Amino acid sequence: MKQITVLIADDDAEIADLVELHLNRESYRCIKATDGQAAMDAIEKYPIDLAILDIMMPKLDGYEVTRQIRDKHHIPIIFLSAKSSDLDKITGLVRGADDYMTKPFNPMELVARVNAQLRRSLQFSQPASTGKPVVEVGGVVINSEERTVVVNGNPVELTPKEFDILHLLASHPKKVYSSEHIFQQVWGEDYYEGNNTVMVHIRTLRKKLGDDMNKNKLIKTVWGVGYSFHG
């Protein structure tokens, strides 16, 4: 069985070593980088399955590393940062991260989040055993095997979580999904009160689909209930 490889990019050696120690206990292989450019070099050199990134790094910050990763790869990204405001967290998710943890952190919680992200990522990387790999609703074509999205003939680049949300909604047009259900299905974790992660991802997903400019929106908000897809 292939060994999972995790990239840890942080200029604080003590934090990187601590994360590596706990991930090694899970039998994960760890590659460490002390700055953003070294992180990108590692991405190109090694078969990275998940990246843990600090935001404030030398040479390239975590936002720029995430942007470059998203240009070519669909691996899960977790921000581990001392930037702890709600705005910082929302910005991290909007920039393409799949999860966000603040320092100081509980190493066991980080391991649990790594496991959840990998479980979800590996599940969606497997070819579909039943049903059609391509979902086509109106002008939207979603290929679950290639993980590509085309809207009215134009390819749209989505983060892994944005893709998973869109695929879930579009696979069952007009069915209303609550934020809680979407979070549980896409993140594979229990939803907690006040969690606005789904709302943030829906907002960025709409922008990428051009939905914020359309009168007849693809993703509709059913106030007090959730979201539904209308092709």
Side-chain angles (χ1 to χ4, degrees):
M1 184 176 179
K2 173 181 175 291
Q3 186 179 26
I4 299 298
T5 302
V6 177
L7 170 65
I8 306 167
D10 199 311
D11 58 347
D12 188 323
E14 290 186 4
I15 289 179
D17 290 344
L18 177 63
V19 174
E20 179 183 34
L21 175 65
H22 283 81
L23 291 179
N24 283 163
R25 291 174 179 173
E26 297 288 310
S27 298
Y28 294 146
R29 177 194 185 197
C30 294
I31 305 296
K32 293 185 291 185
T34 57
D35 61 66
Q37 185 57 59
M40 288 311 307
D41 292 342
I43 288 286
E44 297 304 320
K45 183 176 181 180
Y46 301 101
I48 303 297
D49 297 289
L50 179 144
I52 299 172
L53 307 178
D54 186 18
I55 294 177
M56 304 302 293
M57 291 189 293
K59 298 186 179 180
L60 299 174
D61 65 19
Y63 296 142
E64 177 60 20
V65 172
T66 297
R67 187 192 68 77
Q68 292 191 26
I69 290 175
R70 289 287 177 249
D71 283 344
K72 297 181 180 180
H73 308 281
H74 295 286
I75 63 172
I77 296 174
I78 299 176
F79 276 144
L80 182 61
S81 174
K83 298 168 72 69
S84 59
S85 73
D86 287 342
L87 180 59
D88 291 325
K89 296 176 184 178
I90 291 172
T91 300
L93 295 172
V94 168
R95 293 292 186 93
D98 298 289
D99 203 351
Y100 193 112
M101 282 192 69
T102 58
K103 302 174 184 177
F105 64 99
N106 183 325
M108 296 308 297
E109 181 183 357
L110 177 60
V111 169
R113 294 193 183 203
V114 167
N115 289 338
Q117 291 294 338
L118 286 169
R119 187 165 58 246
R120 192 69 185 171
S121 175
L122 293 173
Q123 173 187 343
F124 275 93
S125 68
Q126 300 301 319
S129 58
T130 59
K132 296 180 180 180
V134 176
V135 175
E136 185 170 359
V137 184
V140 181
V141 180
I142 306 168
N143 189 312
S144 61
E145 292 185 353
E146 298 178 0
R147 294 184 70 79
T148 57
V149 175
V150 176
V151 179
N152 296 323
N154 299 311
V156 178
E157 292 293 329
L158 301 180
T159 68
K161 289 295 183 289
E162 291 166 354
F163 180 92
D164 294 344
I165 291 172
L166 179 62
H167 188 268
L168 174 66
L169 297 177
S171 295
H172 303 87
K174 299 185 179 180
K175 179 177 178 179
V176 180
Y177 287 89
S178 67
S179 293
E180 178 179 3
H181 186 93
I182 293 172
F183 189 85
Q184 291 173 340
Q185 287 292 309
V186 173
W187 276 263
E189 302 174 27
D190 291 335
Y191 184 86
Y192 54 90
E193 187 176 358
N195 188 342
N196 61 3
T197 302
V198 172
M199 180 187 69
V200 172
H201 279 76
I202 290 287
R203 184 188 306 157
T204 58
L205 179 56
R206 280 173 167 160
K207 289 181 179 179
K208 292 183 178 182
L209 295 176
D211 225 15
D212 54 338
M213 304 295 291
N214 293 335
K215 183 177 180 180
N216 298 316
K217 297 186 182 300
L218 294 171
I219 301 176
K220 295 183 180 294
T221 299
V222 182
W223 297 108
V225 183
Y227 304 94
S228 63
F229 186 88
H230 297 252

